[in-house]
Amino acid sequence: MAGQRFARALSVALIGLQGTVVEVETDIGSQLPSFNVLGLPDLSVKEAKDRVRSAARNSGTPLSPRQITVNLTPATLPKKGSHFDLAIAASVLQADGVMPRSPETVYLAELALDGALRPVRGILPAVLAAVTAGHPEVVVAQANAAEAALVPGAVVRGFECLADVLEAAGADPTDLQRPPATSASAVFESATGGGEQPAAPDLADVAGQYDGRAALELAAAGGHHLLLCGPPGAGKTLLAERLPGLLPPLDDGAATEVTAVHSLDTRVSQRRELIRRPPFESPHHSASAAALLGGGSGIPRPGAVSRAHHGVLFLDEAPEFDRGVLDALRQPLETGTVRIDRAAASAQYPARFQLVMAANPCPCGRASGKAQDCRCTPRERRSYFGKLSGPLLDRVDLRITVPAVSYAELTSASTGEDTATVAARVAQARAVQRERLAPYGLRCNAEVGASLLTGELRQPPRVTAALERDMERGALTARGMQRVIRVAWTVADLDGRSAPDADDIDTALYFRSMELA
């Protein structure tokens, strides 16, 4: 093994959520000392040579004083991130004969100069890619080990420092040096259990708002988008914040997708459980398109729409957002994905979320009731709601007015139904939808396409007569008609009927009838 001058180790390159196993090849030549990294590395990967050299020396295994060439293959794939550090160190030390070969092990960790292993972002999707490619043995920093073990089939070893990695691989422990406060390695088998999370806000806290509560239940039961319009203080934000608590917990597949997105987003990944509660994202109205959809230099990062995947994206004061930013939501609302193209790479992220928008009735917020205190001109009102384009509003299934709460409602001792009661009805309606839509690979009414609505789920003319009248007079578009039918199916599901009737269509039209200034 002392004459060994070439070795390979494995790591993972991430572009979005898509991971590719990368071979880290090392050749040690006889030329003057140098350290070169090839294979489209970004700056953080190029800097790995200095971190690796210092970490190896401070761990008691200095690198060979010869020419070291490291190649990351496939060479045409962009490599970004400090998680390549440990794989580069392992490959170099194997080529130098210090560390026994372990060709099937995947290494994912950043190296500190003293040899400690630091956690990195994106561990869950990286380990998932490794396991999918047939490499279940993964070495990570101790702080990332629990999250890495969430991937089914993964066998994860977490270490505190490079010296621990070398000793576990079979290197001679007598010369190894460890930084202060290190501990022995830990082995984690894959697990998917969830833990306790903070309690969601309760729907019983919302005073009055009977239409708002009904619309919220419909939105939760069918996965529909929602617009709430009303004066300040009426309870629009209270209602929106309680929607995630009504949604069913995420199943294993959805929870893995959501956790993978959030693994990329967090500064340091130390998650110990899958995200089971539907996420809730509420960006400020000054957010840019990149903040909402994702972006950044190099390989794009996920935005708010992807962090809200399988959850809720809440846009408070929606007309205050830039119109271009709002219209950019139209594509992910239709497809459930967002694709971000940059010069360095293109990334695609999941973005199947429920959109909830809240708006005041006018710029000053006083154009409710008799609007006697409102000083906004008709032009100002039109300009205010003009930010919400027709094509965007056409994709919103439920549009309701949230009136100001009366003193009697606010001080009443009686409260409306709590979250648990409504969530039970929502869960029952979702179960019916899953059973009905399972043959088509769908989960809820909001996902039903036009071909199904005009095919197997087509309703007789006596049920859809009101839709025909509204389309003939131009009050409904083809897309709007389809969305009304989807909501009508949800109304029927909540009421325990096998199919919608004419009254359900009327109910769906009522919840879409709000007129904007």
Side-chain angles (χ1 to χ4, degrees):
M1 193 159 57
Q4 211 174 316
R5 284 293 176 262
F6 179 84
R8 288 188 180 94
L10 299 179
S11 191
V12 175
L14 282 176
I15 298 181
L17 290 179
Q18 301 301 312
T20 301
V21 174
V22 170
E23 287 190 0
V24 181
E25 305 173 322
T26 295
D27 177 77
I28 299 180
S30 57
Q31 294 88 347
L32 293 174
S34 64
F35 197 140
N36 300 308
V37 180
L38 313 176
L40 283 185
D42 76 338
L43 184 59
S44 64
V45 181
K46 290 179 180 178
E47 292 173 343
K49 60 185 180 182
D50 296 316
R51 292 192 293 271
V52 168
R53 192 181 294 279
S54 296
R57 184 181 65 252
N58 291 323
S59 298
T61 57
L63 301 186
S64 172
R66 299 191 180 192
Q67 183 188 55
I68 299 174
T69 303
V70 174
N71 182 45
L72 309 177
T73 184
T76 56
L77 186 72
K79 320 297 188 307
K80 179 177 181 178
S82 59
H83 64 276
F84 287 101
D85 287 6
L86 185 57
I88 292 174
S91 180
V92 172
L93 293 171
Q94 288 174 17
D96 202 25
V98 175
M99 179 179 178
R101 289 190 178 191
S102 183
E104 297 302 315
T105 302
V106 176
Y107 298 90
L108 300 164
E110 178 183 326
L111 283 173
L113 298 184
D114 63 357
L117 301 190
R118 289 176 172 165
V120 293
R121 294 188 296 187
I123 277 292
L124 194 146
V127 174
L128 184 61
V131 172
T132 303
H135 303 285
E137 297 182 9
V138 183
V139 173
V140 299
Q142 183 73 47
N144 278 146
E147 180 180 345
L150 294 174
V151 177
V155 179
V156 180
R157 293 185 67 85
F159 296 92
E160 294 283 357
C161 64
L162 179 59
D164 289 343
V165 176
L166 294 172
E167 183 175 353
D172 186 354
T174 56
D175 296 327
L176 298 178
Q177 301 174 15
R178 293 170 173 79
T182 61
S183 62
S185 67
V187 180
F188 292 79
E189 295 293 337
S190 62
T192 56
E196 295 184 0
Q197 299 187 41
D202 201 306
L203 190 59
D205 299 334
V206 180
Q209 303 306 351
Y210 304 107
D211 277 359
R213 286 169 167 270
L216 203 67
E217 184 173 346
L218 277 172
H224 305 293
H225 307 307
L226 173 65
L227 170 63
L228 304 166
C229 183
K236 304 185 295 295
T237 301
L238 286 178
L239 287 168
E241 289 175 343
R242 280 146 182 80
L243 178 55
L246 301 180
L247 300 175
L250 302 180
D251 59 28
D252 286 348
T256 300
E257 289 181 1
V258 171
T259 309
V261 172
H262 285 256
S263 176
L264 285 174
D265 176 66
T266 51
R267 294 179 60 184
V268 177
S269 299
Q270 298 187 43
R271 192 171 298 279
R272 295 183 175 274
E273 59 192 32
L274 293 177
I275 297 174
R276 295 289 182 178
R277 178 180 297 169
F280 181 83
E281 288 289 323
S282 180
H284 190 261
H285 59 73
S286 62
S288 65
L292 207 60
L293 300 178
S297 60
I299 298 175
R301 291 288 179 186
V305 296
S306 296
R307 295 194 300 273
H309 183 52
H310 289 307
V312 178
L313 177 68
F314 176 47
L315 303 184
D316 201 4
E317 306 291 348
E320 299 293 344
F321 281 79
D322 182 84
R323 177 166 179 165
V325 172
L326 291 174
D327 281 342
L329 294 174
R330 286 154 54 181
Q331 183 261 340
L333 283 174
E334 289 292 333
T335 65
T337 61
V338 58
R339 181 180 177 86
I340 310 162
D341 296 312
R342 294 292 184 268
S346 297
Q348 181 169 297
Y349 293 105
R352 191 165 296 283
F353 57 89
Q354 280 187 253
L355 176 64
V356 178
M357 296 188 291
N360 292 328
C362 67
C364 75
R366 299 173 181 173
S368 59
K370 297 182 179 180
Q372 294 178 343
D373 295 330
C374 178
R375 297 295 181 264
C376 301
T377 65
R379 181 176 180 180
E380 288 173 334
R381 294 182 192 177
R382 287 194 299 271
S383 176
Y384 180 68
F385 280 107
K387 296 284 191 71
L388 307 178
S389 67
L392 175 62
L393 288 175
D394 205 30
R395 289 167 167 82
V396 178
D397 311 278
L398 306 167
R399 309 196 301 237
I400 68 162
T401 298
V402 180
V405 182
S406 69
Y407 178 82
E409 290 172 326
L410 198 60
T411 57
S412 173
S414 62
T415 61
E417 292 180 310
D418 61 10
T419 292
T421 302
V422 179
R425 289 199 299 268
V426 168
Q428 187 173 8
R430 286 285 186 117
V432 171
Q433 292 167 46
R434 283 195 302 272
E435 183 178 355
R436 180 174 63 241
L437 301 175
Y440 314 106
L442 306 175
R443 293 175 297 181
C444 65
N445 290 332
E447 298 177 0
V448 176
S451 59
L452 270 181
L453 294 176
T454 56
E456 290 88 336
L457 299 183
R458 183 184 180 89
Q459 297 303 299
R462 60 181 173 77
V463 173
T464 59
L467 296 179
E468 182 179 358
R469 290 193 299 269
D470 279 7
M471 286 196 70
E472 288 296 329
R473 64 187 182 89
L476 269 182
T477 65
R479 181 189 291 115
M481 180 200 71
Q482 294 164 8
R483 292 186 175 274
V484 169
I485 296 175
R486 292 171 187 159
V487 173
W489 272 101
T490 303
V491 176
D493 291 336
L494 284 169
D495 288 345
R497 291 188 298 279
S498 60
D501 56 23
D503 289 340
D504 297 330
I505 295 289
D506 288 340
T507 300
L509 285 170
Y510 169 77
F511 281 107
R512 192 182 172 87
S513 62
M514 184 186 71
E515 294 292 335
L516 300 179

